[in-house]
């Protein structure tokens, strides 16, 4: 990506993050992704899910 594309992406992200609904949806998606990553790492270490 060039500098202009990065600036445009940041501006778009700022617009989207202004809405409390969008912010909440983003945070819930991020939490879900982190949970999935944790589960995958746990399975690799031999932990079992309940």
């Amino acid at each position: 990506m060039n500098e202009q594309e990065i600036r445009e992406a940041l501006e778009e992200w700022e617009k989207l993050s202004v809405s409390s609904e969008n912010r909440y949806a983003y945070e819930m998606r991020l939490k879900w992704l982190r949970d999935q990553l944790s589960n995958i790492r746990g399975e690799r270490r031999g932990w079992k899910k309940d």
Side-chain angles (χ1 to χ4, degrees), residues 4-46:
Q4 181 62 31
E5 291 172 324
I6 293 170
R7 283 187 187 159
E8 289 172 6
L10 285 171
E11 288 173 6
E12 185 65 23
W13 180 81
E14 287 175 355
K15 289 177 192 174
L16 292 173
S17 66
V18 171
S19 161
S20 61
E21 287 180 22
N22 286 341
R23 170 70 69 182
Y24 180 76
Y26 166 79
E27 289 175 358
M28 291 299 102
R29 175 70 174 158
L30 187 57
K31 180 189 178 309
W32 182 85
L33 289 169
R34 288 179 176 157
D35 289 345
Q36 295 303 309
L37 181 58
S38 179
N39 289 338
I40 291 168
R41 288 178 176 167
E43 289 174 2
R44 287 184 182 165
R45 291 184 182 132

